[in-house]
Amino acid sequence: MNIMKFNGVLAAGLLGWGIAQAIKFFLYYILNKAVRVERLIGSGGMPSSHSSMVCALAVSAGRAAGFGSTLFAVTAVFGAIVMYDAMNVRLESGRHAKILNRLMDVMQEKGTIKERSIHAGKELKEFLGHTPLEVFCGALLGILIGFLTPLGTCA
């Protein structure tokens, strides 16, 4: 068994994630004129790297095993779940975190609490999910990457 074989399906998924994260980083810099290294690995923002990854994975799996294969079906359903979660559950969780963080600020200002005891004194993470547009753009990017990535020996 040659462990050095190139797995194009895996490579497409990783490329989908990495390219989307790089785009996020540069878009943040262009729009805010500031470097935020967290944008290279963090969730949320344009485009959705989760969507890009799962779409690149599904398309390349379809190319490798056939679009009528069980492998394609599993990766497509997995992708749909990930994208639904990003647009709904994670997006709503970020909205809740924003409200809770503001509530904690008001309580601190009014003297109701002395310090943030929730989450080790830190604000809750607000940048979690994606808008439908961010998911759509990530999906398009992933589909493109899935079709362009060489399959190597996995075909």
Side-chain angles (χ1 to χ4, degrees):
M1 175 180 203
N2 182 1
I3 63 170
M4 297 304 290
K5 286 184 178 179
F6 175 76
N7 186 325
V9 174
L10 178 61
L14 294 175
L15 276 171
W17 180 83
I19 291 171
Q21 288 298 125
I23 291 170
K24 267 190 233 192
F25 177 81
F26 289 112
L27 280 177
Y28 185 89
Y29 177 76
I30 290 166
L31 296 173
N32 297 287
K33 305 292 187 250
V35 171
R36 188 170 173 196
V37 177
E38 184 271 338
R39 293 288 72 215
L40 285 173
I41 58 170
S43 59
M46 173 66 89
S48 166
S49 56
H50 290 86
S51 298
S52 181
M53 175 187 263
V54 296
C55 285
L57 186 70
V59 168
S60 60
R63 288 179 53 225
F67 287 96
S69 68
T70 301
L71 179 61
F72 174 72
V74 169
T75 56
V77 170
F78 169 70
I81 292 168
V82 167
M83 291 186 290
Y84 176 86
D85 180 70
M87 284 188 300
N88 293 284
V89 178
R90 288 181 30 232
L91 182 61
E92 197 62 29
S93 295
R95 290 176 178 156
H96 290 171
K98 187 177 278 189
I99 291 167
L100 288 170
N101 284 334
R102 299 311 161 259
L103 181 60
M104 294 293 289
D105 290 341
V106 169
M107 290 174 72
Q108 268 187 306
E109 289 170 13
K110 294 189 181 250
T112 309
I113 58 171
K114 291 184 181 182
E115 62 183 57
R116 291 177 183 270
S117 57
I118 298 173
H119 203 272
K122 299 177 188 173
E123 284 196 344
L124 297 171
K125 187 173 179 182
E126 298 175 8
F127 214 37
L128 296 172
H130 294 282
T131 65
L133 179 63
E134 292 167 344
V135 169
F136 178 74
C137 290
L140 285 180
L141 176 63
I143 290 168
L144 179 67
I145 291 167
F147 276 116
L148 295 178
T149 302
L151 292 177
T153 58
C154 66

